[in-house]
Amino acid sequence: MILVLHLAVDGDGFALWGETEARRTAFSALAEALDRAGVSLGGKQRRMTAWLPSVDKHPVPSSPMLGEITDKTATITPWTVDALSIDTAAAMDLLADAVGKRLLAPGVLVGADLAFFATAMRFAAVLVTRGHVLPSLEQRGKAWRARWALAPAAAEHEQIASLARAMPPSAVALGMDAEGAPAVDRRAVVERFLGDVADRLMRREQSVKTGGTSLHDRWLAALFTEDGALGGDAAELQALAQTVAEWRRPVVEQSLFDFRVAFRLEEPPPDGEVGDTHDVWTIRLLLQSIEDPSLLVPLEAIWNSGQRGEEAADVRRLLRRGGGEAKRFILSSLAHAASLSRSVDALLRQPMPSEITTDTNGAFAFLSSDAAALESAGFGVFLPSWWSRRGTKKRLSLRGEARAPKFKSKGALSMESLVEVRWRVALGDEVLSMEELQSLARMKVSLVRLRGQWVQLRADEIEEAIRFARAKAAKVTLGEVVRLDLSGTAPGASALEVTGVSAEGEVATLLERVTGKRDWEELPPPEGFAGTLRPYQARGYSWLDFLSTTGFGACLADDMGLGKTVQTLALIQRQWLEARGPVLLICPTSVTGNWVREAARFTPELPLLLHHGSDRERGEAFVARAEQSGLVISSYSLLARDVETLQHVPWKGVVLDEAQNVKNSETKQARAARAIAAGFRVALTGTPVENNIGDLWSIIDFLNPGYLGSASSFRQRFFLPIQTQRDPNAIEQLRRLTGPFILRRLKTDKSIIADLPEKNEMKVYCTLTKEQASLYQAVVKEAEDAIAETEGINRKGLILATLTKLKQVCNHPRQLLGDASPIDGRSGKLARLTEMLGEAVSAGDGSLVFTQFAEMGTILQTHLQEQLGVEAMFLHGGTARAKRDQMVERFQSTDAGRPPIFILSLKAGGTGLNLTRANHVFHFDRWWNPAVENQATDRAFRIGQTRSVQVHKFICGGTFEEKIDAMIEGKLELAAKVVGTGEGWLTELSTTELSELFALRADAIGE
């Protein structure tokens, strides 16, 4: 069942309700959906009225996955729904899980209203990050509450208005009254929601302690308590509220004008190498247009606007846009600025304030504190180009000089090789001498001009700089040197940033290749590799080999269809030739057969062991077999189960295919993967892990243990700043840290397109579940007995019927049984299709899925929509012509909401359709007629197609499907004979040949 989760405002809180095909969802269904999503919100169950668009006495579904969306005119009609009332805090927890998602759990979709509030919550976080909040004191009834209120800049008001316009009607569709739809001011709803979120974010992230007991002190403390409640004398509270409101008034008023007061700091002219405290700085006062930020008018011109002249007339026109209150607004703004800056406070003593002069200490105070306070309060601030939010752009920093020890061990350098690192203190690219550092220490000033550049200094920076400059060279591993170079931090350095590590010789070469400053050496395919690598595949294989040889873990994150398997097999073959030793490859059960066959195809001389099935070897017998193998293939389910046995093998390397399976670091399989020691580690995934930072730590920690610190430190340092605030500094630092170990190529890259064929056909081998294997053997046993006793046309009919049953078993047990039993977890073929389609959907690709059976198409549609949370259309023989044309038009459209998956029955969709938006074609079950399959593929691979088409032919390994495919591939004359005859040729096989054809191999069965 698919349930769309909706969130609507409900008084001061929210109401959560679910929508299914019946639209009216029982509370039990909502509770079950929340449980599936792992969400625990508490709240109160209520029966409410939802005012929804309706046609023909039925609500219009919000998603085509819940029913057909008609183009008939809808009317707003009341419907009774079971809802869960929750407060803002619970809503925020839910929204944090829903950010950027379309699916909370299988079958639980994120409604448009829920997604809207998640987007609005992120905007509130942005406003908090910008400092566009001010404390306030509000009264509700007789209760008083200290609260953080939004103080948006003028430009942000339009963003709020845009949010209000984008609010889905369902977000305000709930009420308790069935007599009329609730009248709601959407702008007020958005502003209240943003304010509530900002208030809670400020309370969560900060705390304050005051020693005073005055009402003002208690108000400040209440701003950081859970509920902000404030008690006291009513008259005193009212007076304080008026004072706070008056203090906030200039900021609030500012948004009413289309200009604002701005401050520009102008530095003294260069007159020497070292600046001193007596240099004269100027803070120029300006009026800045909101509509045209480049329009800046000095306040001096404002005060002189009554004079004659064209310039004065232009100023008067600008001031008139402020409704004649401009000068009063300017003075009021300056009064507010004076409460934030001592420099501005002194300015107000002037009759017509226009500029402030100060010394270097005053300039530094303005740069380091006043400027940020003024900017957060909505004033314009213009600072010298050498200053950034973090201080002067050029700061004292550490630069490491790495070199191999004089008596280094023999052999190539690796991640564990020891190198000597000596630290130098630098300003930009220039190394400072000890004499210069000691001179700076004696000056005891915060801003100095050094070598023609202004530099910010702190006492702890100078002290740390001198300590590192005096220290002897330290011996660290090369892996640690890479982390030092990329992370910007050094052990024992809390004040100084590491801006880079330089080296010479072998160390420099390896360091530059790891960090991407120099290309790695491109290698030829290894001896014994039976295939041809495309240019981009050769580069990927060489990259894997380079990092693996040096002991660094590597994540190959190429798009699906670009050949991660073949690049990895080339790596394993090369590693085997260089030094015998087993590589453990862990993959989903559904693709173990695929790896076995691809290894046999591309690396036929590589000793291979499949660790799989209930009869697999264990203990010392397994260890002995594994040590003699070049590649050992097993599954994630067995990884967690057999980890103790696996740990006894001296693995040369460990490879995780579909590495998103270990994205949750607390699962048994993720912990087991990290527990296995190996010479190198590789992760393969078609999902761009750099876009899912919450999962990134687990994958990188598997590849390079400890590289990103602990999970908790990663959350504080990267996850929270990026997920809630989109912090650009955190994003850039994480990209620098992980970039060298993630290789991501897209099919849309121009360099890749040139390497790809127009049509790339590949076979996808899948395993059977135990249930499928049991059904398969039962069908075969029944058929063999009957076929042996039947002749003529009846025998042919029996053989064709048996083939159909076996196809149904390989597809899904539910198709053979014809019941309404559960779908998930019962078919290896369906599991693999779901994984591959999930990857295609993430990449924004369009996919066609062909099946011979209408009932299987229905199963596919139901399962894929529940698991992937996207619409999957299904065209079959019973689809009306008008509906068929509508489906094709929707799939081919350029609309953002177009369905990414189109399921087609082979007979209904195999010819006559133009579906060139698809660049993936999946043949879920085979017709065993190349002409028919090619006709189906040509729905996408035809004139109008602008991309390479990936064709995936699914085969259950070890079953009759693989054997028929091998028969056709091995005999060209048979392939020609098959064309036009379907499966009729199989009825001519002898009973012995049929017995061999139907026999099930042991390796066909998954876990």
Side-chain angles (χ1 to χ4, degrees), residues 636-637 639-641 643 661-662 664-675:
Y636 282 104
S637 57
L639 170 64
R641 205 177 307 168
V643 62
N661 281 277
V662 297
N664 185 342
S665 62
E666 295 306 312
T667 60
K668 290 182 179 179
Q669 56 197 33
R671 291 199 297 267
R674 294 197 298 270

Side-chain angles (χ1 to χ4, degrees), residues 376-443:
S376 296
F379 293 96
V381 178
F382 300 91
L383 303 177
S385 59
W386 41 262
W387 185 269
S388 68
R389 287 182 178 273
R390 301 174 64 188
T392 52
K393 289 184 178 178
K394 289 197 174 179
R395 301 282 295 273
L396 290 186
S397 62
L398 294 175
R399 292 191 61 82
E401 296 178 355
R403 63 179 181 179
K406 293 180 180 179
F407 303 104
K408 70 180 181 103
S409 59
K410 295 182 179 180
L413 288 173
S414 71
M415 183 176 70
E416 300 302 322
S417 299
L418 288 177
V419 296
E420 292 181 343
V421 176
R422 179 176 292 279
W423 295 104
R424 306 294 188 187
V425 180
L427 175 64
D429 294 330
E430 300 181 55
V431 175
L432 301 183
S433 67
M434 179 61 74
E435 289 74 17
E436 287 174 304
L437 291 175
Q438 291 172 335
S439 175
L440 292 173
R442 290 191 295 269
M443 292 182 66

Side-chain angles (χ1 to χ4, degrees), residues 135-139 144-147 219 230 237-238 240-241 244:
S136 67
L137 180 61
E138 63 178 25
Q139 183 180 18
W144 289 86
R145 182 171 178 262
R147 175 181 169 86
W219 168 65
L230 186 64
L237 286 166
Q238 185 65 50
L240 177 59
V244 174

